[in-house]
Amino acid sequence: MNNARTGSVTNFDAWKHAYAARASNLSVSEVRALFAVVSRPEVVSLAGGMPDVSALDGALIEQAFESLMKNKRNFALQYGGGQGDLRLREQIQGIMAQDGINGSVEDIVITTGSQHGLELLADLFLDAGDVVLVEAPSYVGAVGIFRHKEAQIEHVFTDDEGISPVALAEAADALLAQGRKVKLLYLVPNFANPSGVTLSEARRPEVLKVCAERGILVVEDNPYGLLYFGEKPPKAMRSLDEDGVVYLGSFSKILSPGLRVGYVLAPPAIREKLVLANESAILSPATFAQMMVSEYLSIADWQGQIETYRRLYAKKRDAALEALEQYLPRVTTTRPDGGFFLWLTLPEGLNSKEMLPLAVNELVAYTPGTAFYGDGRGANNIRVCFSHPTAENVKIGIKRLSNVINLQLDLLDTFGNKA
Ligand code: PMP
């Protein structure tokens, strides 16, 4: 590629010989690769999992900023402790209590978004070849991290009640019998990304039992739990097992992802290592961002804000389901009770990745199902994220999507798989 400033030609392979072997596992994610296209205003993006931050009360954010600058500027602009701001950790206790969790501030570690918490955990626990059990499908960002650590990702059968404890035990036992080290179970039990599915109350203790009996640490990732549309989801798994579950939380979906503040509630046995890992990676989580969150929580009716988000996303979910019923009757969908996502299953023979350029041509974008598997599955699935466009645009997006899918289906009906 030509560098306009220097006139030189960039050789992107110039340092290939020097990369660590695991760098080959870093590839552009299917979600990220879409960002350039979907940011065009004429495209309705059902792709990236972005909150609708326009629903935040901007005046309150400004007030939090002004108060921080006026009263605590020298702290906000300074390094902080590696575990994170104490006042924020106390406030996090109150938020986690909403999910039935009774955690100590000593066991909370603040991270740069929960993605960073996941990265730290993967770094602490996974050697190359270790096994991580995940749902089928699983969160693309987690699959990416585990792949980068050269772990073996094993998807476990998951239905509309969440991951199956029976299949989990079978998968773990088969791998253990082969002498594999099965280290972690990673799951998003509430309104999962990408499926929208919630792990049933009955299965939660069963999943925990399977893992406890086999020495498998459970990583419970819960960024969407407070964004329920009807009934609250069942209590967090962490509330049932303090020693066997690492809990990840985030302000990205209930407040703003731009602040990049997340947290880990770790079993006491792990917490110290986690703090050391955090310090080693970033010295201290961003003081300014933590104190902005803390200030916001103290001046705002944040529960009211979450209520606003709930109503807004419920409306968008309804718009998506209505449009699917109307325009895509041959496509099946999950019906999430919260969160941001629907998971579509297309009739056999359609390939969502190959279809994507056609969809973008119709001015709609989505994430192909293969992004959510480490093993190539998901070719006839699509993740629809309904949280960011307006309800009206969600409908328009799905109508555009139906133009592509229905044409493909007509071709398939007429010519079979050779179409
Ligand atoms: N876990 C899940 C399931 C997510 O959907 C996301 C964001 N897409 C994250 C973790 C990371 O969120 P953040 O780093 O913004 O807290």
Side-chain angles (χ1 to χ4, degrees):
M1 186 183 278
N2 208 21
N3 182 328
R5 220 152 36 99
T6 60
S8 66
V9 175
T10 304
N11 171 11
F12 285 103
D13 287 337
W15 291 99
K16 219 173 163 184
H17 66 282
Y19 282 136
R22 66 182 173 280
S24 66
N25 296 312
L26 286 173
S27 52
V28 180
S29 89
E30 297 180 60
V31 183
R32 274 259 317 284
L34 282 172
F35 270 1
V37 182
V38 302
S39 54
R40 281 163 39 201
E42 65 274 24
V43 175
V44 172
S45 175
L46 306 171
M50 295 188 293
D52 186 350
V53 292
S54 70
L56 282 169
D57 182 340
L60 276 174
I61 308 281
E62 278 170 32
Q63 200 181 321
F65 176 76
E66 275 163 21
S67 149
L68 189 57
M69 285 301 103
K70 198 158 156 236
N71 304 316
K72 298 176 190 153
R73 190 177 59 205
N74 288 345
F75 291 103
L77 299 178
Q78 192 51 273
Y79 287 113
Q83 186 161 1
D85 183 71
L86 179 59
R87 180 167 86 140
L88 180 58
R89 283 188 279 133
E90 285 166 356
Q91 290 162 317
I92 287 169
Q93 270 188 312
I95 294 173
M96 291 194 304
Q98 311 254 328
D99 281 304
I101 296 173
N102 179 14
S104 155
V105 285
E106 294 304 316
D107 297 332
I108 298 171
V109 182
I110 298 185
T111 53
T112 309
S114 56
Q115 186 73 13
H116 175 222
L118 197 53
E119 159 70 27
L120 294 177
L121 287 169
D123 209 44
L124 272 183
F125 284 96
L126 299 176
D127 289 312
D130 287 349
V131 177
V132 187
L133 301 166
V134 299
E135 292 150 313
S138 180
Y139 165 51
V140 56
V143 169
I145 288 177
F146 300 144
R147 195 180 271 154
H148 186 212
K149 303 296 169 197
E150 304 181 308
Q152 180 180 333
I153 301 164
E154 280 293 321
H155 293 278
V156 176
F157 178 77
T158 305
D159 58 22
D160 56 8
E161 277 190 67
I163 198 164
S164 154
V166 175
L168 180 67
E170 280 171 9
D173 288 342
L175 287 154
L176 290 166
Q178 291 166 25
R180 308 305 304 271
K181 288 186 181 156
V182 184
K183 296 271 185 81
L184 305 176
L185 166 67
Y186 167 79
L187 79 180
V188 185
N190 298 324
F191 322 126
N193 180 358
S195 68
V197 161
T198 293
L199 181 62
S200 69
E201 188 163 13
R203 283 190 184 177
R204 293 185 184 218
E206 294 172 30
V207 167
L208 289 169
K209 186 163 179 276
V210 169
C211 290
E213 284 171 356
R214 292 162 180 79
I216 302 168
L217 182 65
V218 176
V219 180
E220 177 179 30
D221 187 7
N222 188 26
Y224 303 103
L226 292 177
L227 298 175
Y228 49 87
F229 304 152
E231 276 182 27
K232 252 186 159 177
K235 274 200 210 162
M237 298 171 80
R238 170 57 171 71
S239 71
L240 307 173
D241 182 352
E242 290 183 10
D243 297 318
V245 179
V246 192
Y247 180 87
L248 298 176
S250 175
F251 287 99
S252 290
K253 318 294 167 158
I254 58 169
L255 177 55
S256 148
L259 290 163
R260 309 303 302 129
V261 179
Y263 50 94
V264 183
L265 175 65
I270 293 172
R271 182 240 304 158
E272 194 183 335
K273 275 278 190 221
L274 203 62
V275 175
L276 291 171
N278 210 23
E279 286 172 349
S280 157
I282 58 166
L283 300 183
S284 69
T287 321
F288 175 79
Q290 292 179 79
M291 290 177 84
M292 268 297 288
V293 173
S294 182
E295 208 60 22
Y296 171 84
L297 292 174
S298 70
I299 63 172
D301 169 18
W302 58 269
Q303 307 212 45
Q305 177 60 48
I306 293 176
E307 189 56 50
T308 304
Y309 271 143
R310 277 185 205 127
R311 277 199 298 271
L312 180 69
Y313 296 139
K315 219 172 95 190
K316 295 183 185 199
R317 186 263 331 247
D318 291 344
L321 289 176
E322 263 173 44
L324 284 167
E325 217 163 278
Q326 186 177 353
Y327 301 118
L328 281 167
R330 289 174 67 185
V331 168
T332 57
T333 178
T334 52
R335 308 184 77 82
D337 298 319
F340 287 8
F341 308 104
L342 300 173
W343 183 247
L344 308 185
T345 304
L346 313 180
E348 274 313 316
L350 294 197
N351 184 313
S352 62
K353 203 167 165 181
E354 287 173 8
M355 239 168 48
L356 187 57
L358 303 175
V360 172
N361 213 28
E362 288 281 332
L363 304 180
V364 59
Y366 59 80
T367 313
T370 42
F372 306 95
Y373 282 97
D375 58 11
R377 273 187 279 170
N380 70 328
N381 294 110
I382 282 179
R383 185 190 74 175
V384 164
C385 176
F386 53 78
S387 55
H388 190 252
T390 60
E392 188 57 26
N393 276 344
V394 167
K395 281 192 178 168
I396 292 172
I398 288 175
K399 182 159 193 300
R400 290 176 183 171
L401 185 58
S402 76
N403 294 339
V404 180
I405 293 179
N406 289 333
L407 176 65
Q408 296 285 308
L409 282 173
D410 286 347
L411 289 171
L412 202 65
D413 290 344
T414 315
F415 302 108
N417 259 337
K418 294 188 188 62

